[in-house]
Amino acid sequence: MTEIVILAMIAAFLGLRLYSVLGRRSEHEEEIVPRGYERTDPPQERAGTEQPRIAPAIVGLRPTDNNASANERGVRAIATADPQFDLLAFVEGAKGAYRMVLEAFWEADRETLRELCDDDVYASFMAALDAREASGETLDNRLIRIEDANIHSAELDGRLARIAVLFVADIASVTRDKDGALLAGSLDDAIESRDVWTFSRNVDAAEPNWVLDETDEG
């Protein structure tokens, strides 16, 4: 949690919500943050022909991914419990969620953080924001790029799906005092950040909301 407190970025996805980017199929899965997520029935069902519901194929985890065999079992269990789950869409959406949460934290957008995080993570963010505001410090940072995002762990605990993603990102960070004077950092020098963020969702929930329920350093 300590590393993300000092990092910042400006992203174009602030107005979106976490449920709009995690774990659901879209018409444009190649986009990092898909624009539309309304569910549409497959052609066979629209034609009135009932088809058995089949869990989507799982995107194979890379051998370099952390504990790949165990993670694949966890992902398959989640997909079996929730046939609408799609790993590729989840990973791509997790990148957008990473951007959104950082944006909200760095811009002190408490309302958005409340929607995207569970109680414990939200409380941690609020404590950090209160301390920052009490000191009069501000952040002027940039997320240069997300170099990589891969599955760090995946499990289905009862009906609760939990997937941790390791993000490797280049971030340029600047901290200023209450008068705007530079305290630390430079926008010209990006630093590699490695963060493991865990997202969770009850697979029986009516709404497809995933929330950020844990953050750690990679």
Side-chain angles (χ1 to χ4, degrees), residues 155-170:
E155 65 175 351
L156 182 66
D157 183 6
R159 306 302 291 171
L160 182 68
R162 300 183 80 245
I163 301 178
V165 180
L166 170 62
F167 297 98
V168 181
D170 293 333

Side-chain angles (χ1 to χ4, degrees), residues 62 64-65 95 146-150 165-169:
R62 298 169 297 183
T64 56
D65 288 352
K95 296 177 186 178
I146 298 176
E147 294 282 1
D148 199 8
N150 61 69
V165 180
L166 170 62
F167 297 98
V168 181

Side-chain angles (χ1 to χ4, degrees), residues 28 55 60 73-74 77-78 87 93 99 148 187 192:
H28 304 289
R73 290 194 296 271
I78 293 170
L87 180 60
R99 291 173 177 268
D148 199 8
L187 291 179
E192 182 180 274

Side-chain angles (χ1 to χ4, degrees), residues 38-50:
E38 293 186 3
R39 179 180 171 184
T40 58
D41 294 330
Q44 295 91 336
E45 294 183 6
R46 290 200 302 267
T49 303
E50 294 295 331

Side-chain angles (χ1 to χ4, degrees), residues 62-89:
R62 298 169 297 183
T64 56
D65 288 352
N66 178 67
N67 202 12
S69 297
N71 290 345
E72 186 166 356
R73 290 194 296 271
V75 170
R76 288 187 180 278
I78 293 170
T80 298
D82 179 8
Q84 294 299 309
F85 175 77
D86 181 276
L87 180 60
L88 180 59

Side-chain angles (χ1 to χ4, degrees), residues 3-82:
E3 183 149 351
I4 63 174
V5 170
I6 65 170
L7 304 177
M9 50 73 69
I10 296 178
F13 309 105
L14 180 61
L16 300 179
R17 295 295 180 262
L18 188 60
Y19 69 82
S20 298
V21 293
L22 288 178
R24 294 283 150 170
R25 289 184 179 274
S26 73
E27 295 178 335
H28 304 289
E29 289 183 345
E30 71 275 7
E31 297 178 4
I32 290 180
V33 182
R35 298 179 182 276
Y37 280 82
E38 293 186 3
R39 179 180 171 184
T40 58
D41 294 330
Q44 295 91 336
E45 294 183 6
R46 290 200 302 267
T49 303
E50 294 295 331
Q51 297 292 327
R53 190 176 298 279
I54 301 174
I58 301 300
V59 176
L61 300 179
R62 298 169 297 183
T64 56
D65 288 352
N66 178 67
N67 202 12
S69 297
N71 290 345
E72 186 166 356
R73 290 194 296 271
V75 170
R76 288 187 180 278
I78 293 170
T80 298
D82 179 8

